[in-house]
Amino acid sequence: MHSRDVFAADCPVRPIFDDITSRWATLVVGLLANRPHRFSELASAIGGISEKMLSQTLKALTRDGLVDRAVTPTVPIQVTYSLTALGADLATHLVGLVAWVDRHTDRIHEAQATYDEDTPVPPAVANRRRGGA
Amino acid sequence: MHSRDVFAADCPVRPIFDDITSRWATLVVGLLANRPHRFSELASAIGGISEKMLSQTLKALTRDGLVDRAVTPTVPIQVTYSLTALGADLATHLVGLVAWVDRHTDRIHEAQATYDEDTPVPPAVANRRRGGA
DNA sequence: CTGAATCCGGTTCGATACTG
DNA sequence: CAGTATCGAACCGGATTCAG
């Protein structure tokens, strides 16, 4: 039986979980689930990502054994990223979760709207993410 | 048909996805999946969480219609949090994902160790989260 | 092309203290 | 008990710059 105490502050699954659910990791995995991609392909396919974040995300994923990094020593070096078997397995869960959110996004938006109406004071909560100014 | 372009920078599922996969939200949902909890119960059950973060997480989840907040006006006020039907549905996916990570944590740790060995320069990557001195 | 390193602003987070 | 206000520190993340 597995099941460590996920609720313990030092539970080892937390950092890994953070890796794979990080803002960009999900999108990278989602893209690689279809087919291998080159660095620049990923960069242009994922709206709003910076090279730094892409590089960082890819490195973390590779380190976790979820993504495979293949270097082709052509004139301008070419690097292709793909999912490992482990990564592919994870991908199914991840895309499933994203699909769930996608399916329920409208309902959630309604809930948010209702909540914001019923909230007397200016909702500071609504500002989470998407930092203005 | 659903399926917005998840890869677009302004895709509306992103902020929601961030809400539910935030470090603490997953744990809160995981706990509420078993049974309703009071504020202080959650606070003590989740190792390392601060009141501020718990409050914030709970508020976001409630706003998203995933968690229900019930106030019992006893002498010392009593507040009980539970999952809504929507939240319960989400919980299955979430705990499934956590369980997956739990199942593969050892393998991932091996991958990390191997990666770190093969990496000549001191791995700055390894420091992500869990910030050491 | 791929990616690492640096700089630096903004946001988030945690600890504490305080209110209802 | 339940939660908010404030403060300071840590971190994230973007733009830029440089190297292989």
Side-chain angles (χ1 to χ4, degrees), chain A residues 3-117:
Chain A
S3 293
R4 305 165 175 76
D5 182 13
V6 188
F7 302 103
D10 60 344
C11 178
V13 336
R14 285 201 194 174
I16 298 175
F17 191 83
D18 287 346
D19 275 353
I20 68 180
T21 60
S22 76
R23 183 149 37 170
W24 305 116
T26 314
L27 298 173
V28 169
V29 171
L31 237 28
L32 295 183
N34 298 329
R35 61 172 179 81
H37 283 71
R38 307 237 317 261
F39 185 87
S40 52
E41 284 182 311
L42 292 171
S44 61
I46 301 175
I49 196 173
S50 66
E51 288 184 3
K52 178 187 176 182
M53 283 300 101
L54 178 56
S55 175
Q56 208 169 82
T57 301
L58 247 13
K59 187 175 292 187
L61 255 21
T62 301
R63 188 173 101 100
D64 290 346
L66 301 167
V67 163
D68 183 65
R69 181 176 183 274
V71 182
T72 307
T74 49
V75 183
I77 284 184
Q78 201 167 321
V79 182
T80 304
Y81 293 93
S82 57
L83 293 181
T84 61
L86 195 62
D89 187 18
L90 170 65
T92 62
H93 291 258
L94 235 35
V95 305
L97 186 57
V98 172
W100 186 94
V101 178
D102 185 33
R103 273 198 305 279
H104 299 284
T105 289
D106 291 340
R107 181 190 290 260
I108 291 175
H109 278 158
E110 290 174 23
Q112 292 179 346
T114 301
Y115 182 97
D116 292 346
E117 282 176 14

Side-chain angles (χ1 to χ4, degrees), chain B residues 18-31:
Chain B
D18 287 345
D19 275 353
I20 68 180
T21 58
S22 77
R23 179 146 44 163
W24 306 115
T26 314
L27 298 173
V28 169
V29 170
L31 236 28

